[in-house]
Amino acid sequence: MSERVAVVTGGIGGLGTAIVRALAESGRQVVAADLDQDSQRVREFRTAHAGFGDRVGYAVVDVTDFASCAALIQQVEASRGPVAILVNAAGITRDATLRKMDPAQWQAVLRVNLEGAFNMCRQVVESMSEHGFGRIINISSVNGQTGQFGQTNYAASKAGLHGLSMALARELAKKGVTVNSISPGYCRTPMVEAIPAPLREQIISQIPVGRIGEPEDIARAVRFLSEDAAGYITGINLPVNGGAFISF
């Protein structure tokens, strides 16, 4: 059904923008939701997606605020109809080794990356269940599978996202709602580009396919899991990492 409505949190971020575009190109109505209000980033996003007309929209949300998430979904449902696809792509890092990490760094990452997904999922599960269709896709990370030095907070939040996905998948499976996570490897985003060049080159040298990922690599996986025909896939974690983490 081409007119299904999708919401993408972190929708003007490095991965979020590619996901919004992929869903719009597949015929979805897509609302990119992010924290920015009238910023240069928002204006650039609107300009880049002007060709989609009103098929692509933008809305402000603070995923750490339950009421803000509720208001977003109410706004989208009033203007576009029931939300059928939710992509939780909002995420932050606050890196430090645990012995140097303060509680604020831990709490900030868990609130955005994990609690934010709860806040958003909670707003849509009832409607999706009532309509007998839903696709929830949580953007995890390879570092949630392997851990990473200086990222106990980030790795915990991203591993937690897949735990949330598996449990919620069991709750919603008989309602026609699937819940899956995707674990990107290192991709060409501002977050990864901020890594010092020598370390970034070292990371790339260890990726079997020999290159860093592109946001479109992740967006194609999201598009696949969001399709109506993907209804028999639920509770999985799909690694998209160029072979950087291969396990049995």
Side-chain angles (χ1 to χ4, degrees):
M1 182 177 178
S2 63
E3 288 299 314
R4 295 201 188 278
V5 176
V7 171
V8 181
T9 69
I12 61 173
L15 295 182
T17 300
I19 292 168
V20 167
R21 179 171 291 273
L23 292 177
E25 288 174 346
S26 70
R28 272 44 177 179
Q29 295 187 50
V30 192
V31 176
D34 217 309
L35 192 58
D36 288 28
Q37 298 193 36
D38 186 23
S39 70
Q40 182 64 28
R41 291 176 68 223
V42 174
R43 291 190 289 274
E44 290 173 354
F45 174 86
R46 292 187 186 279
T47 299
H49 293 82
F52 290 104
D54 61 4
R55 184 171 296 282
V56 173
Y58 178 76
V60 177
V61 70
D62 177 356
V63 297
T64 70
D65 184 334
F66 188 85
S68 177
C69 295
L72 167 69
I73 297 302
Q74 290 168 8
Q75 172 189 339
V76 173
E77 290 181 340
S79 61
R80 295 176 181 266
V83 175
I85 301 164
L86 170 64
V87 183
N88 287 306
I92 64 170
T93 57
R94 296 290 185 271
D95 294 353
T97 58
L98 188 66
R99 60 192 293 265
K100 296 180 180 178
M101 185 177 294
D102 61 49
Q105 290 171 300
W106 174 271
Q107 292 161 7
V109 170
L110 269 290
R111 286 191 68 202
V112 173
N113 297 5
L114 186 55
E115 187 178 333
F118 161 77
N119 288 340
M120 289 299 302
C121 288
R122 183 64 180 80
Q123 313 305 326
V124 301
V125 291
E126 187 170 351
S127 175
M128 287 181 175
S129 297
E130 289 175 353
H131 286 90
F133 180 90
R135 299 285 183 264
I136 298 174
I137 302 164
N138 296 317
I139 304 301
S140 183
S141 169
V142 64
N143 290 345
Q145 298 177 279
T146 65
Q148 182 58 273
F149 187 92
Q151 287 197 326
T152 52
N153 49 5
Y154 185 78
S157 70
K158 292 301 189 176
L161 266 182
H162 183 50
L164 183 157
S165 299
M166 291 189 292
L168 188 56
R170 289 184 180 273
E171 293 182 13
L172 300 178
K174 292 183 178 180
K175 303 292 186 179
V177 181
T178 65
V179 189
N180 296 292
S181 58
I182 294 174
S183 287
Y186 289 91
C187 293
R188 198 182 308 279
T189 65
M191 187 181 294
V192 171
E193 292 294 308
I195 298 173
L199 178 56
R200 191 166 64 248
E201 292 304 316
Q202 180 182 352
I203 290 169
I204 294 171
S205 72
Q206 296 171 353
I207 299 173
V209 302
R211 68 171 177 87
I212 200 167
E214 300 294 339
E216 290 74 19
D217 293 319
I218 311 307
R220 282 187 288 270
V222 171
R223 177 173 175 171
F224 164 66
L225 289 176
S226 73
E227 295 288 347
D228 286 23
Y232 203 61
I233 304 172
T234 195
I236 70 158
N237 179 51
L238 177 60
V240 185
N241 58 34
F245 173 52
I246 299 174
S247 66
F248 178 73

